Amino acid sequence: MKIITDEQAQQFKDFVQAYDSFIIVGHKEPDGDCIASSLGVAAILKKMGKPYQLISAGPFKRTEIKDYEKLFGRQATVLQTGKKTAMIIVDCGEFKRIGEIFSQDTLVMDLSTRPTFFIDNHKTSSPESLTYIIEPTSPATSYLVQQLYEKLVGPLDKDTAQILFFGLCTDTGYFRFLEENSSDIFMAAARMVEAGVSPRTTYDTMTSGKPFSTRKLLGVLLERSTQYYDGKLIITYETQDDTRRYGGEGRDSDSLYQLLLSCVGVEVVVFIRQETEQSCTMGLRSKDQVDVSTVAASFGGGGHKNASGCSTPGTIDELIPKLLAEFEPALK
């Protein structure tokens, strides 16, 4: 993992000092790392005396981030050039992934010309700005924000450490996804624990409070799982009828991936959800060598080597053959 340089931290500081106020936004359908990164950047701006808006297009589907929803607006207020308002986009490298955050009556410049700073750790990120910190070797965007805070502000206070620790844990599967060269990550985590973070409380926040219906749905998805390429690939799916029956809140896809990836010989798991009659979302996870981000990118998405996703036109029956074709070179 590459550590943020003093030059990168100075670039971010110069960007903040150049503008009067900020809109902080992450990708639509936020996860824990997205929310934590947003709040971590907000803590930096607060220390630097800069006003900001926390914006998220939502929806806040994940149980573990529900308590943070009240801190975020759904639409940004008027942006005018004379007001010197800039955007900071976290855990995302493209404008299209932030969703609809401006109402029709909002006066806003073309986003491609809006002063914007991107902070992201996704391999497939392609920042649409000249000002950014993109580091795919970082296990979480929260870790990048932690480094910025420590370089520009100083030691973390307890509240900021708590939210950034939560973001780091959600994106690393509570450290399960880290490789052998991760000592810097654990030292960063130790600094947050020294600031007063409770690892047990964070774990409980991540894993508790799931509706019983999600456990029933998990059983359906496991029963429906199908193996391909001599068991190397498993695909399962959720229909619109499933969503109506079991609800769309508090899903626990992490448990699904964990259970299926633990099977002998499995290298990749794909979960497809039929969102509308003609569109799906897909989550892709792999163990080691298979780069699922390239497959996700072929469907208009992206992410990390071992964890990616996308929203794409099509039905489940249409997408499964296409997925098999995409994975054939790596798995057959």
Side-chain angles (χ1 to χ4, degrees):
M1 154 68 208
K2 295 180 182 177
I3 304 298
I4 285 181
T5 65
D6 291 339
E7 290 76 14
Q8 287 175 306
Q10 186 63 49
Q11 181 192 30
F12 180 75
K13 182 178 180 180
D14 291 343
F15 182 85
V16 171
Q17 290 177 333
Y19 300 98
D20 298 328
S21 60
F22 296 86
I23 291 172
I24 305 170
V25 61
H27 57 77
K28 57 187 176 182
E29 294 199 22
D31 56 11
D33 187 36
C34 180
I35 294 303
S37 301
S38 298
L39 293 171
V41 168
I44 296 173
L45 295 182
K46 185 176 181 179
K47 291 290 186 179
M48 297 179 69
K50 297 288 185 174
Y52 58 85
Q53 304 173 53
L54 282 164
I55 303 296
S56 175
F60 284 66
K61 293 181 179 180
R62 301 168 185 261
T63 304
E64 65 271 21
I65 64 172
K66 274 291 185 183
D67 287 346
Y68 297 107
E69 184 173 8
K70 60 182 179 292
L71 302 177
F72 289 78
R74 288 300 175 93
Q75 290 188 329
T77 55
V78 175
L79 292 179
Q80 294 175 318
T81 307
K83 298 294 185 181
K84 297 195 73 175
T85 301
M87 295 180 65
I88 299 176
I89 298 179
V90 299
D91 203 35
C92 173
E94 300 85 23
F95 291 117
K96 65 182 180 181
R97 292 192 61 221
I98 66 176
E100 297 297 326
I101 64 167
F102 299 106
S103 63
Q104 290 184 348
D105 59 352
T106 298
L107 179 59
V108 59
M109 296 167 54
D110 181 355
L111 287 180
S112 64
T113 61
R114 167 63 51 191
T116 303
F117 198 104
F118 289 93
I119 306 174
D120 191 23
N121 73 319
H122 291 97
K123 179 181 178 182
T124 54
S125 185
S126 53
E128 300 168 51
S129 167
L130 296 177
T131 47
Y132 60 85
I133 295 174
I134 305 293
E135 185 45 70
T137 66
S138 175
T141 302
S142 299
Y143 178 56
L144 300 175
V145 175
Q146 177 185 353
Q147 293 180 68
L148 284 174
Y149 188 102
E150 290 172 332
K151 285 179 177 291
L152 300 178
V153 178
L156 294 161
D157 60 83
K158 182 178 178 180
D159 289 343
T160 305
Q162 183 69 65
I163 186 59
L164 291 175
F165 188 80
F166 169 72
L168 176 63
C169 288
T170 55
D171 239 32
T172 62
Y174 211 81
F175 305 108
R176 298 195 318 271
F177 307 143
L178 294 180
E179 302 288 350
E180 63 275 3
N181 57 342
S182 302
S183 58
D184 289 333
I185 312 301
F186 283 100
M187 286 189 285
R191 294 195 296 274
M192 291 188 278
V193 173
E194 288 175 353
V197 170
S198 167
R200 185 175 73 173
T201 299
T202 302
Y203 184 79
D204 288 343
T205 299
M206 292 170 56
T207 59
S208 301
K210 308 294 184 185
F212 178 66
S213 60
T214 65
R215 277 22 192 173
K216 300 283 285 185
L217 175 60
L218 182 59
V220 171
L221 299 179
L222 290 172
E223 176 66 25
R224 195 174 281 157
S225 301
T226 303
Q227 292 181 295
Y228 301 90
Y229 299 124
D230 297 323
K232 296 175 185 177
L233 170 65
I234 293 179
I235 298 177
T236 189
Y237 58 87
E238 177 183 329
T239 67
Q240 288 184 288
D241 285 341
D242 295 329
T243 305
R244 284 188 284 268
R245 180 177 181 183
Y246 298 106
E249 302 298 318
R251 292 186 177 107
D252 191 15
S253 54
D254 185 60
S255 293
L256 176 69
Y257 297 129
Q258 188 175 352
L259 287 166
L260 293 178
L261 283 171
S262 68
C263 297
V264 174
V266 174
E267 296 183 25
V268 179
V269 171
V270 178
F271 171 39
I272 310 172
R273 180 183 296 118
Q274 191 78 52
E275 299 286 359
T276 70
E277 292 295 333
Q278 291 298 324
S279 68
C280 291
T281 56
M282 295 195 295
L284 304 89
R285 301 292 186 272
S286 65
K287 274 185 179 178
D288 299 308
Q289 298 305 314
V290 180
D291 186 349
V292 294
S293 70
T294 60
V295 175
S298 71
F299 290 94
H304 306 287
K305 174 185 175 183
N306 301 121
S308 294
C310 65
S311 297
T312 185
T315 65
I316 292 168
D317 289 340
E318 292 169 345
L319 290 173
I320 289 177
K322 294 179 181 179
L323 282 166
L324 295 178
E326 289 292 333
F327 278 114
E328 183 176 4
L331 296 178
K332 192 169 182 180

